[in-house]
Amino acid sequence: MSSLGDNLARQRASAKLLSVRELTVQFTTERGRVRAVAGVSFDLAPGETLGLVGESGCGKTVTAMSILRLLPTPPAQVTGEIFFQGENLEEIPDSRLRQIRGNHIAMVFQEPMTALNPVLSVGEQVAETLRLHRGLSHQEAWRQAGAALARVGFPDAAARLDQYPHQLSGGLRQRALMAMALACEPELLIADEPTTALDVTIQAQILALLAQLKAELGLAVLFITHNLGIVAQTADRVAVMYAGLIVEQAATAELFRQPDHPYTQGLLGSVPRLDFKRPPGESLSPIAGHLPAEPPPGCLFRDRCPLAHGRCLKEPPWVEVSPGHLVRCWNYA
């Protein structure tokens, strides 16, 4: 790309908080290269929540970790462009990326018991984040760690600073991860299945807390989940991912009202709903088959799609079926 093209790309990317373009991730294995992400592109505006949904193994977490360059290289090979506030994260040196991590982009992982260090107190782990990214003294970092725990709803936060992860419930461990992620008040939070291991009551509390903090801090959130119910509650827009590729994007209400990709229709058809009465004798409709180990030619969903025909042997283009509603399918109509 020419220097003029570089400038234009940066100008377009800077209009969004995060702009991902043609992200592809491959892993080198004993059996050769395996493609985990296949040309993913999406934008995220300041203060917006984008739900990235799809079944397990479709590449959601790999996409998230690629944004922060957390994948080991090798075996991972990452190509594409990731702009954050107009700055290409794939080109900046590690020293600059360390300034962005934590301070400007933070991530909450899906398994708090493995994400937290079992031999350090919760207070020490939150304080370490503040010392590393904000350069605070030990005493000031400890004080602000207590305030960070209190902000995420820790009961008697100051008294719990000395507790270890195994002394906390699953819900409090997840709150501790959120305190670490938000201690430096980043502009973007990547939440990777943050409620998966929690019961529904605690899950609802965590989602309410996330909505409250998003409003207070003006956070943009990339919310990764396989749970369409959570997406309906939390996301402004939804990107549906299948076999490493985004196949449909739309505003949340539009996607639930009019899903156009057969895979999206299959996801929604396999979810129980209290507000929808199915005809007598009609049961839930699971999606046949499984994710392909080797991507087929043409449409990646072709082998599982009830509408597949000869044209699906060719890769489908993006089609804008309505303003902001994009689908990658020959049969969208």
Side-chain angles (χ1 to χ4, degrees), residues 23-41:
L23 176 66
T24 299
V25 183
Q26 299 183 89
F27 291 92
T28 302
T29 70
E30 294 178 353
R31 298 182 179 181
R33 290 185 179 181
V34 176
R35 189 179 66 178
V37 178
V40 162
S41 298

Side-chain angles (χ1 to χ4, degrees), residues 238-254:
V238 184
V240 180
M241 197 167 183
Y242 179 77
L245 189 68
I246 291 177
V247 296
E248 187 165 8
Q249 292 189 57
T252 303
E254 170 74 7

Side-chain angles (χ1 to χ4, degrees), residues 300-321:
L300 297 179
F301 190 59
R302 175 171 55 85
D303 292 341
R304 303 173 69 184
C305 182
L307 303 178
H309 53 72
R311 188 163 55 169
C312 300
L313 290 169
K314 297 181 179 180
E315 183 177 347
W318 273 117
V319 178
E320 188 169 24
V321 295

Side-chain angles (χ1 to χ4, degrees), residues 36-115:
V37 178
V40 162
S41 298
F42 61 86
D43 294 317
L44 185 59
E48 181 184 35
T49 297
L50 174 67
L52 186 60
V53 303
E55 58 196 305
S56 297
C58 71
K60 303 185 301 293
T61 296
V62 172
T63 297
M65 296 184 72
S66 299
I67 292 172
L68 288 174
R69 282 181 18 198
L70 293 176
L71 296 175
T73 53
Q77 297 175 309
V78 182
T79 59
E81 295 181 319
I82 302 171
F83 289 96
F84 177 72
Q85 295 180 328
E87 195 169 12
N88 193 341
L89 300 185
E90 292 302 302
E91 295 180 347
I92 60 176
D94 290 343
S95 58
R96 173 58 183 153
L97 187 62
R98 285 192 294 269
Q99 294 174 356
I100 292 175
R101 288 182 189 145
N103 270 324
H104 302 285
I105 306 176
M107 187 166 179
V108 174
F109 296 91
Q110 60 180 295
E111 185 47 68
M113 201 57 194
T114 56

Side-chain angles (χ1 to χ4, degrees), residues 125-310:
Q125 293 185 63
V126 179
E128 182 181 29
T129 299
L130 289 159
R131 290 197 303 270
L132 177 64
H133 295 295
R134 292 289 177 89
L136 301 182
S137 66
H138 184 278
Q139 182 177 5
E140 179 60 18
W142 190 259
R143 185 191 69 79
Q144 291 195 23
L149 290 176
R151 182 165 60 186
V152 297
F154 250 76
D156 199 10
R160 291 180 178 267
L161 286 169
D162 290 316
Q163 290 188 326
Y164 290 82
H166 72 273
Q167 296 175 291
L168 303 176
S169 66
L172 286 181
R173 286 195 292 266
Q174 194 60 266
R175 289 174 190 264
L177 280 182
M178 293 176 66
M180 292 174 61
L182 301 176
C184 297
E185 299 186 357
E187 290 91 347
L188 170 61
L189 176 68
I190 301 174
D192 185 8
E193 301 273 13
T195 61
T196 295
L198 305 176
D199 64 54
V200 291
T201 302
I202 303 302
Q203 182 182 102
Q205 293 175 3
I206 294 297
L207 292 176
L209 173 63
L210 185 59
Q212 174 190 333
L213 294 172
K214 178 178 180 290
E216 290 177 358
L217 302 176
L219 276 173
V221 181
L222 177 60
F223 201 109
I224 297 170
T225 184
H226 64 275
N227 190 321
L228 289 168
I230 290 177
V231 167
Q233 295 178 56
T234 60
D236 301 304
R237 288 188 302 115
V238 184
V240 180
M241 197 167 183
Y242 179 77
L245 189 68
I246 291 177
V247 296
E248 187 165 8
Q249 292 189 57
T252 303
E254 170 74 7
L255 187 91
F256 278 79
R257 184 185 65 81
Q258 183 63 50
D260 279 311
H261 197 282
Y263 178 62
T264 309
Q265 294 169 1
L267 288 178
L268 292 172
S270 61
V271 175
R273 291 175 56 182
L274 295 176
D275 63 339
F276 178 70
K277 293 183 179 180
R278 299 180 186 278
E282 182 179 327
S283 61
L284 296 177
S285 304
I287 302 174
H290 50 78
L291 282 168
E294 294 290 335
C299 175
L300 297 179
F301 190 59
R302 175 171 55 85
D303 292 341
R304 303 173 69 184
C305 182
L307 303 178
H309 53 72

Side-chain angles (χ1 to χ4, degrees), residues 1-30:
M1 184 182 292
S2 66
S3 58
L4 176 58
D6 289 336
N7 290 334
L8 290 173
R10 288 187 174 87
Q11 288 172 14
R12 287 193 297 267
S14 63
K16 301 288 185 179
L17 183 70
L18 178 70
S19 186
V20 176
R21 290 290 175 269
E22 295 298 323
L23 176 66
T24 299
V25 183
Q26 299 183 89
F27 291 92
T28 302
T29 70
E30 294 178 353

